[in-house]
């Protein structure tokens, strides 16, 4: 993600500094949600950054075994409902599906079935 969205590097480095080391991927995705919420409000010259952020998020949603945790719980759940509504037009199909699963509560049901907590 940092390669795709180099504008996020400074914010990530502040996160690393605050955590006194590796903050972990979930914290980074929460921070990305804050950045995306700001970008979607400004929608000026930052549109390209917003598109790259969400394209990178979609790639994680497709490729990561931790997509539910990172994209669902860490990113999507960090957005307030209004920000999620604002960002929805830029979300890819897998990310939208994860948003729907999060809203319907099926993450909790699947976790219980799989034995995860």
């Amino acid at each position: 993600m940092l390669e795709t969205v180099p504008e996020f590097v400074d914010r990530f480095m502040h996160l690393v500094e605050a955590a006194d080391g590796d903050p972990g991927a979930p914290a980074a995705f929460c921070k990305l949600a804050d950045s995306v919420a700001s970008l979607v409000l400004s929608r000026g010259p930052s549109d390209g950054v917003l598109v790259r952020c969400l394209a990178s998020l979609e790639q994680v949603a497709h490729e990561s075994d931790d997509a539910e945790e990172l994209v669902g719980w860490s990113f999507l759940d960090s957005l307030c409902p209004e920000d999620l509504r604002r960002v929805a037009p830029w979300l890819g199909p897998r990310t939208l599906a994860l948003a729907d699963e999060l809203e319907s509560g099926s993450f909790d049901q699947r976790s219980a079935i799989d034995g995860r907590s």
Side-chain angles (χ1 to χ4, degrees), residues 49-63:
V49 176
L50 178 64
V51 168
R52 284 186 282 119
C53 280
L54 296 175
S56 184
L57 186 71
E58 180 70 6
Q59 183 176 356
V60 171
H62 275 287
E63 296 176 1

Side-chain angles (χ1 to χ4, degrees), residues 72-101:
W73 291 119
S74 298
F75 181 86
L76 295 170
D77 200 43
S78 293
L79 295 171
C80 72
E82 184 63 22
D83 287 338
L84 185 54
R85 186 191 61 74
R86 286 184 186 120
V87 78
W90 288 278
L91 296 179
R94 179 64 185 133
T95 305
L96 282 170
L98 288 169
D100 288 343
E101 289 177 32

